[in-house]
């Protein structure tokens, strides 16, 4: 898409749109003042919004309406309310919303384009996200079901670092049963709470070994069993060290360090290769 879009292009594109401002009924009248106001508004739009507007096709019934939150709406107005297809732009923040309204409330599939490049597309009902949606940024893609503006139930999170999550969400966070796969071949299956491993689960390492047992706040923590790739099994209490803890006691911070204690209070340090 053309990165440099001329001012004249946008002036021509919106030439048929009239302006109505909520605080100034006189501005609804076509006049030279209207032209200068329209020119000034279009000229000051961020470049990425101009690019999105390149494919926008206003019809003769569309109006240009200033909103109370300083945003500007391009679309159909019914009794002063947004109703039908349109676009809403926040010039100061640089955000752009493309969607459909019913008496000022979003309805149907709508898409928000943020200044930083993030995109959120979702099904709306009565102004709230209810249905399938997708959020995309330069760090991750999240797909799932939104209920009353929050991600709920089954969903997916695919990060650019190779981490993939498939499972349940609650209040917009990973919570419930799920599976997380890492780029280095390691995998976790089990319970999540507040986006972290919590409760009962299984962690598989890429060398074929695995741990089955308890987790807390994203770490192996509690009673469980560890089976290495030769079939040796250790049963007892396990406590995974945080990177900062490992560094403090002189362990390699690039390894996953787990302290094992058996029923005789004998301890063993287990170190695994895992990109944390």
């Amino acid at each position: 898409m053309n990165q440099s879009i001329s001012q004249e292009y946008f002036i021509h594109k919106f030439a048929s749109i009239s302006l109505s401002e909520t605080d100034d009924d006189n501005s609804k009248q076509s006049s030279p003042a209207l032209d200068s106001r329209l020119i000034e508004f279009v000229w000051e739009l961020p470049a990425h919004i101009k690019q999105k507007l390149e494919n926008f096709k206003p019809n003769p019934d569309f109006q240009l309406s200033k909103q109370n939150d300083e945003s500007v709406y391009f679309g159909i107005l019914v009794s002063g309310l947004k109703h039908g297809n349109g676009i809403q732009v926040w010039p100061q923040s640089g955000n752009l919303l493309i969607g459909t309204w019913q008496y000022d409330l979003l309805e149907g599939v709508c898409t928000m384009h943020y200044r930083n490049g993030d995109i959120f597309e979702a099904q709306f009902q009565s102004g709230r996200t209810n249905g399938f949606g997708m959020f995309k940024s330069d760090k991750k893609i999240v797909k799932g079901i939104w209920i009353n503006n929050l991600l709920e139930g089954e969903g997916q999170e695919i990060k650019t670092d190779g981490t993939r999550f498939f499972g349940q969400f609650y209040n917009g966070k990973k919570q419930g049963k799920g599976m997380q796969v890492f780029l280095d071949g390691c995998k976790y299956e089990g319970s999540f709470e507040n986006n972290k491993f919590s409760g009962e689960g299984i962690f598989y390492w890429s060398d074929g070994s695995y741990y089955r047992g308890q987790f807390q706040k994203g770490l192996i923590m509690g009673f469980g069993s560890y089976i290495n790739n030769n079939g040796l099994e250790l049963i007892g209490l396990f406590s995974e060290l945080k990177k900062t803890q490992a560094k403090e006691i002189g362990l390699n911070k690039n390894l996953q360090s787990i302290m094992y204690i058996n029923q005789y209070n004998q301890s063993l340090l287990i170190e695994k290769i895992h990109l944390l």
Side-chain angles (χ1 to χ4, degrees), residues 128-175:
R128 301 176 71 86
T129 47
N130 279 286
F132 180 78
M134 179 181 71
F135 172 79
K136 182 178 181 181
S137 71
D138 60 352
K139 294 182 178 180
K140 63 183 178 180
I141 297 176
V142 180
K143 300 178 182 180
I145 303 299
W146 267 257
I147 300 176
N148 291 327
N149 293 335
L150 290 172
L151 186 57
E152 303 275 0
E154 294 299 316
Q156 301 178 7
E157 181 185 76
I158 313 299
K159 293 186 176 181
T160 53
D161 66 4
T163 304
R164 295 171 291 154
F165 170 80
F166 308 92
Q168 298 174 321
F169 286 82
Y170 177 72
N171 279 339
K173 296 181 178 180
K174 294 188 280 290
Q175 187 144 325

Side-chain angles (χ1 to χ4, degrees), residues 19 46 76 163 176 208 223 229 231 244 259:
L19 174 65
I76 298 174
T163 304
F223 185 81
N229 51 6
T244 53
M259 188 65 68

Side-chain angles (χ1 to χ4, degrees), residues 6 152 188 191 225 227 232 257 262:
S6 69
E152 303 275 0
Y188 170 81
S191 297
S225 63
I227 295 89
L232 175 65
S257 301
N262 65 13

Side-chain angles (χ1 to χ4, degrees), residues 10 20 43 48 52 63 72 91 101 113 116 141 213-214 237 253 259 263:
F10 284 96
S20 65
W43 180 245
H48 79 281
K52 297 295 187 300
Q63 292 178 289
V72 177
W101 284 261
H113 297 270
N116 63 0
I141 297 176
Q214 297 173 326
L237 294 175
K253 66 177 183 179
M259 188 65 68
Q263 58 182 327

Side-chain angles (χ1 to χ4, degrees), residues 162-164 180-188 197 203 274-275:
T163 304
R164 295 171 291 154
Q180 189 155 315
V181 182
F182 299 88
L183 183 62
D184 61 2
C186 296
K187 180 176 68 172
Y188 170 81
F197 312 154
F203 193 94
H274 173 44
L275 299 177

Side-chain angles (χ1 to χ4, degrees), residues 13-19 34 38 56 58-59 62-64 74:
K13 177 177 278 291
F14 296 112
S16 63
I17 300 177
S18 60
L19 174 65
L34 165 63
L38 179 60
F56 176 56
N59 67 46
F62 278 9
Q63 292 178 289
L64 184 67
F74 301 91

Side-chain angles (χ1 to χ4, degrees), residues 16-272:
S16 63
I17 300 177
S18 60
L19 174 65
S20 65
E21 292 193 12
T22 56
D23 58 352
D24 183 5
D25 291 337
N26 294 328
S27 63
K28 295 180 181 180
Q29 304 299 321
S30 178
S31 67
L34 165 63
D35 295 337
S36 63
R37 193 175 301 174
L38 179 60
I39 291 171
E40 181 181 357
F41 170 74
V42 172
W43 180 245
E44 291 180 353
L45 290 177
H48 79 281
I49 290 184
K50 292 181 182 180
Q51 293 170 30
K52 297 295 187 300
L53 290 176
E54 185 178 20
N55 297 320
F56 176 56
K57 298 179 180 180
N59 67 46
D61 295 326
F62 278 9
Q63 292 178 289
L64 184 67
S65 173
K66 182 179 178 181
Q67 303 295 296
N68 292 329
D69 62 356
E70 299 302 320
S71 66
V72 177
Y73 166 75
F74 301 91
I76 298 174
L77 291 171
V78 175
S79 300
L81 302 177
K82 301 185 291 289
H83 191 77
N85 296 331
I87 288 178
Q88 192 164 351
V89 180
W90 288 261
Q92 296 301 318
S93 64
N95 297 337
L96 166 68
L97 175 63
I98 302 174
T100 304
W101 284 261
Q102 287 190 6
Y103 299 107
D104 255 4
L105 297 177
L106 288 169
E107 194 74 26
V109 178
C110 305
T111 306
M112 174 70 88
H113 297 270
Y114 296 92
R115 188 184 192 96
N116 63 0
D118 294 353
I119 299 172
F120 178 59
E121 181 177 271
Q123 183 79 31
F124 282 76
Q125 294 179 3
S126 300
R128 301 176 71 86
T129 47
N130 279 286
F132 180 78
M134 179 181 71
F135 172 79
K136 182 178 181 181
S137 71
D138 60 352
K139 294 182 178 180
K140 63 183 178 180
I141 297 176
V142 180
K143 300 178 182 180
I145 303 299
W146 267 257
I147 300 176
N148 291 327
N149 293 335
L150 290 172
L151 186 57
E152 303 275 0
E154 294 299 316
Q156 301 178 7
E157 181 185 76
I158 313 299
K159 293 186 176 181
T160 53
D161 66 4
T163 304
R164 295 171 291 154
F165 170 80
F166 308 92
Q168 298 174 321
F169 286 82
Y170 177 72
N171 279 339
K173 296 181 178 180
K174 294 188 280 290
Q175 187 144 325
K177 298 296 182 181
M179 176 178 68
Q180 189 155 315
V181 182
F182 299 88
L183 183 62
D184 61 2
C186 296
K187 180 176 68 172
Y188 170 81
E189 293 181 359
S191 297
F192 286 77
E193 184 177 352
N194 197 26
N195 287 329
K196 296 181 179 181
F197 312 154
S198 183
E200 297 291 328
I202 307 175
F203 193 94
Y204 300 89
W205 285 274
S206 56
D207 64 356
S209 60
Y210 64 92
Y211 163 83
R212 182 194 301 269
Q214 297 173 326
F215 293 77
Q216 291 183 29
K217 297 182 179 181
L219 300 174
I220 293 172
M221 194 73 63
F223 185 81
S225 63
Y226 167 79
I227 295 89
N228 70 9
N229 51 6
N230 293 318
L232 175 65
E233 182 175 14
L234 301 175
I235 300 175
L237 294 175
F238 294 81
S239 177
E240 181 179 345
L241 303 178
K242 296 181 180 179
K243 278 189 174 183
T244 53
Q245 293 175 308
K247 185 178 181 181
E248 287 174 358
I249 61 177
L251 297 176
N252 190 329
K253 66 177 183 179
N254 297 312
L255 295 176
Q256 187 178 10
S257 301
I258 306 161
M259 188 65 68
Y260 160 71
I261 301 176
N262 65 13
Q263 58 182 327
Y264 305 109
N265 206 33
Q266 297 171 321
S267 63
L268 175 68
L269 178 66
I270 302 171
E271 292 186 306
K272 307 296 296 184

